[in-house]
Amino acid sequence: MKNFVLILDFGSQYTKLIARRVRELNIYCEIHPYNISEKKIKELNPAAIILSGGPSSVYDKDAPMIDKNVFSMNIPILGICYGLQLIAYLLGGKIGSTKKREFGFAKLNILKKSPIFKDLKEGEQVWMSHGDEVVKLPEGFSSIGATANTPNTVIENKNLKIYGVQFHPEVAHTTKGKIFLKNFLYDIARIKPDWTMESFVEKSVKELKEKIGDEKVLLGLSGGVDSAVAAVLLYKAVGKNLIPVFVDTGLLRKKEGEELISEFKKLNIKVYPVKSSKIFFQRLKGITSPEKKRKIIGKTFIDIFYKKAKDFKSIRFFAQGTTYPDVIESSSVKGPSAVIKSHHNVGGLPKKLKMELVEPLRELFKDEVREVGKILGLDEWFIKRHPFPGPGLAVRIPGEITKTNVRKLQEADFIIREEVKKAGIYDELWQAFGVLLPIKSVGVMGDKRTYENVCAVRMVVSSDGMTANWYKAPHELLQKISTRIVNEVRGINRVVYDITAKPPGTIEWE
Ligand code: XMP
């Protein structure tokens, strides 16, 4: 049995949060779709399984199901919300629709002592979100916890080590949810918490050494955190056989390229810069469709790489800074869903490169990536930089990309970040940036009429970029940003603040 937790995803918006909580408890876990085969589960050989919640009802025509055999594999199981209902339904219990749909806070009453309630008190605050509930327990199960409206809120089969819970222990609103999960993982499933970033670095370096040996690895530095951390990790494993190529697209933030190169210099890692803004601007000329821009930029990146790779003899591996959220979002894991933006790194390896793909951060969440970077000596300010989209400023300039527009945005964006840092809120924000709007408005400066571009300021808070809220920025900060941009950036005479959450908006404008 491997020391890891398998999370089966039934479509809950909180599945990723379950994974985050398990990792925070220093246990490695992976999310897989609910319908992976029994054979695959056996292969994965998890020490415990968590069944996520989901929007379905077990009696729906196409309700997602799992093979009943999973319950006799002798693996401890925790079902959350829909997961609980599925356990009850498949093992012979009954589900009914709740008289009063229950969304929000509730108090948990402990009906029976159980190891799952260790360190929890009577009346803990829990978060409910369901329309169905268990109305008849399957044989061998007892109800050990209830809320005022839901008698079978926590169910237990002690012998089989199968538990079900109607509330969501993974959300922050369930105050002691992490303790509940910890009890299941440490005490019931008896999993050893051995997942730390130090152990990850040690294990990865060893594996990368074995995989790569004396071969060369080409890696694309985008300027962002993920590819930089992938590079330092690979450098620790293969030293000078790592060839980090930095494609300067001309679409980066002000000073970003220089900062990257000097950071690597400090770590004695040689970077191979390729100044390529000319070709990017040429190919983007006249293009206004967001998806076309992304495709052109992606393809140009690869073309430049392909050309650069030819400078070196026989490179066998190609490394990417793909992270776990990219993997989860990729269609192979999540199943078909609408393409909102084609921005994922997964599977970006062009066939013609004829190289083998190495993705050393594939298992990690963003904060884990940052921790690895810190362990490997990257500076704190560098690791804590806000995420930046692969296509760069091109997706922050609706309409055509020109050198002048990029210059305007770089200047404005620099001011925004500088003021946000000065205000001491940089680390609180997921992102803070400017968007150069393709419209002009009339202004007056020094008694003269101006007719220039508008800059939208976007500041968002988020835990993972999947959902986000606009930041309630102090008016003084907004005023400083606005005054400075209009005074200092030639070509911008108006500043507006974006107050759209995601959903329904997205974080980037394109
Ligand atoms: P959206 O705009 O989809 O952005 O709400 C969510 C997060 O993803 C980042 N983003 C990208 N990252 N390549 C990337 O590597 C892209 O094409 C891309 N587009 C958006 C965005 O900055 C935000 O943090």
Side-chain angles (χ1 to χ4, degrees):
M1 191 167 279
K2 287 200 196 133
N3 216 27
F4 107 100
V5 174
L6 168 65
I7 299 168
L8 292 179
D9 181 20
F10 291 90
S12 163
Q13 50 173 328
Y14 301 132
T15 305
K16 220 163 76 174
L17 261 187
I18 303 175
R20 287 296 313 122
R21 296 291 169 261
V22 175
R23 298 269 185 108
E24 280 164 18
L25 289 163
N26 299 111
I27 293 174
Y28 180 64
C29 62
E30 284 177 15
I31 300 172
H32 286 260
Y34 70 89
N35 56 358
I36 57 167
S37 65
E38 201 189 324
K39 190 168 150 251
K40 176 84 182 166
I41 297 180
K42 280 194 179 133
E43 257 168 49
L44 289 168
N45 196 15
I49 298 177
I50 297 180
L51 310 176
S52 86
S56 313
S57 161
V58 289
Y59 296 115
D60 286 350
K61 201 166 128 263
D62 295 318
M65 290 286 153
I66 44 167
D67 199 312
K68 241 169 92 173
N69 291 341
V70 171
F71 299 114
S72 36
M73 281 178 169
N74 209 10
I75 303 174
I77 294 177
L78 173 67
I80 297 175
C81 199
Y82 180 78
L84 152 83
Q85 293 158 17
L86 199 65
I87 292 172
Y89 173 74
L90 288 174
L91 294 178
K94 279 212 172 74
I95 312 301
S97 51
T98 315
K99 275 178 225 91
K100 247 172 76 192
R101 289 163 76 83
E102 202 179 11
F103 293 98
F105 295 108
K107 294 256 175 260
L108 177 69
N109 303 316
I110 296 176
L111 304 178
K112 200 174 144 196
K113 212 172 157 227
S114 160
I116 202 125
F117 293 140
K118 194 177 113 183
D119 299 329
L120 297 181
K121 288 201 276 304
E122 179 67 16
E124 300 284 5
Q125 173 182 296
V126 297
W127 178 259
M128 304 288 255
S129 169
H130 66 116
D132 282 356
E133 64 176 310
V134 176
V135 290
K136 182 177 158 259
L137 295 177
E139 222 181 282
F141 279 78
S142 46
S143 173
I144 59 171
T147 62
N149 292 329
T150 313
N152 299 316
T153 292
V154 187
I155 68 168
E156 171 186 65
N157 183 322
K158 223 173 176 173
N159 291 334
L160 295 178
K161 296 192 175 181
I162 298 179
Y163 290 78
V165 55
Q166 186 60 71
F167 61 81
H168 287 272
E170 70 278 23
V171 306
H173 293 321
T174 298
T175 331
K176 299 281 173 64
K178 209 159 142 183
I179 296 180
F180 185 89
L181 289 172
K182 181 172 163 223
N183 292 339
F184 172 70
L185 297 168
Y186 290 11
D187 296 334
I188 293 161
R190 303 216 164 265
I191 305 180
K192 220 171 76 211
D194 62 358
W195 173 255
T196 61
M197 286 309 103
E198 283 81 4
S199 68
F200 170 83
V201 169
E202 205 178 299
K203 178 181 112 213
S204 306
V205 167
K206 192 165 154 266
E207 283 171 5
L208 289 167
K209 269 186 182 154
E210 273 163 24
K211 180 169 179 166
I212 296 164
D214 288 331
E215 303 281 344
K216 288 198 169 63
V217 191
L218 186 71
L219 173 134
L221 287 172
S222 65
V225 174
D226 300 345
S227 56
V229 174
V232 289
L233 184 60
L234 276 156
Y235 183 75
K236 194 169 163 74
V238 303
K240 293 215 157 64
N241 276 333
L242 172 74
I243 303 168
V245 173
F246 168 49
V247 178
D248 188 350
T249 58
L251 300 165
L252 293 177
R253 290 173 280 202
K254 188 175 161 179
K255 291 194 180 163
E256 195 160 42
E258 293 98 301
E259 281 171 3
L260 181 83
I261 292 175
S262 81
E263 185 70 10
F264 273 77
K265 214 173 188 172
K266 262 196 265 167
L267 297 170
N268 276 324
I269 306 176
K270 182 174 158 59
V271 173
Y272 300 80
V274 194
K275 283 213 176 300
S276 6
S277 59
K278 213 167 150 192
I279 179 156
F280 278 94
F281 282 113
Q282 256 167 19
R283 292 195 183 173
L284 286 168
K285 196 164 188 285
I287 306 293
T288 54
S289 142
E291 279 302 282
K292 265 198 194 140
K293 282 184 195 172
R294 280 168 192 276
K295 298 253 154 67
I296 290 173
I297 293 168
K299 180 168 181 311
T300 309
F301 235 98
I302 297 297
D303 289 348
I304 290 166
F305 253 94
Y306 187 54
K307 219 166 138 223
K308 189 73 191 168
K310 285 186 179 159
D311 288 357
F312 300 90
K313 272 193 209 102
S314 62
I315 301 179
R316 187 161 148 211
F317 295 97
F318 177 84
Q320 273 189 334
T322 314
T323 62
Y324 199 46
D326 301 328
V327 176
I328 301 175
E329 283 301 297
S330 79
S331 53
S332 62
V333 176
K334 209 181 167 193
S337 56
V339 174
I340 310 291
K341 296 179 188 186
S342 48
H343 62 72
H344 302 296
N345 300 327
V346 179
L349 184 68
K351 285 201 180 67
K352 67 176 179 181
L353 270 179
K354 294 199 183 80
M355 290 184 199
E356 281 173 50
L357 187 60
V358 182
E359 295 174 312
L361 309 178
R362 230 184 124 78
E363 295 171 346
L364 305 188
F365 284 104
K366 190 89 189 174
D367 50 342
E368 293 175 323
V369 170
R370 289 189 167 126
E371 216 182 312
V372 168
K374 199 167 149 203
I375 292 171
L376 293 171
L378 286 169
D379 278 337
E380 187 109 3
W381 67 264
F382 184 85
I383 304 168
K384 283 196 169 162
R385 283 179 321 164
H386 290 162
F388 187 61
L393 298 181
V395 291
R396 293 181 180 172
I397 304 178
E400 194 182 358
I401 312 299
T402 63
K403 257 192 173 153
T404 319
N405 281 345
V406 170
R407 196 261 318 145
K408 283 182 205 170
L409 183 56
Q410 277 174 337
E411 296 300 330
D413 183 72
F414 190 78
I415 292 170
I416 296 167
R417 282 183 293 133
E418 198 168 64
E419 288 303 329
V420 162
K421 280 180 193 164
K422 269 197 225 154
I425 55 163
Y426 187 83
D427 291 345
E428 246 177 84
L429 301 180
W430 175 260
Q431 280 169 304
F433 58 87
V435 180
L436 187 78
L437 304 190
I439 46 165
K440 290 192 168 181
S441 80
V442 174
V444 51
M445 264 182 114
D447 294 336
K448 277 213 183 93
R449 177 187 195 266
T450 57
Y451 187 55
E452 294 172 341
N453 282 110
V454 181
C455 173
V457 176
R458 181 95 165 121
M459 293 187 214
V460 294
V461 282
S462 169
S463 62
D464 53 13
M466 307 273 291
T467 58
N469 209 346
W470 61 279
Y471 180 67
K472 315 290 178 298
H475 290 175
E476 303 73 44
L477 172 65
L478 292 174
Q479 181 171 334
K480 254 190 210 147
I481 289 174
S482 154
T483 310
R484 278 196 63 194
I485 291 178
V486 174
N487 283 339
E488 296 173 32
V489 184
R490 254 190 313 133
I492 297 179
N493 69 350
R494 189 179 295 265
V495 176
V496 296
Y497 191 49
D498 182 349
I499 51 167
T500 321
K502 171 187 180 175
T506 54
I507 296 176
E508 305 288 348
W509 275 44
E510 288 198 329

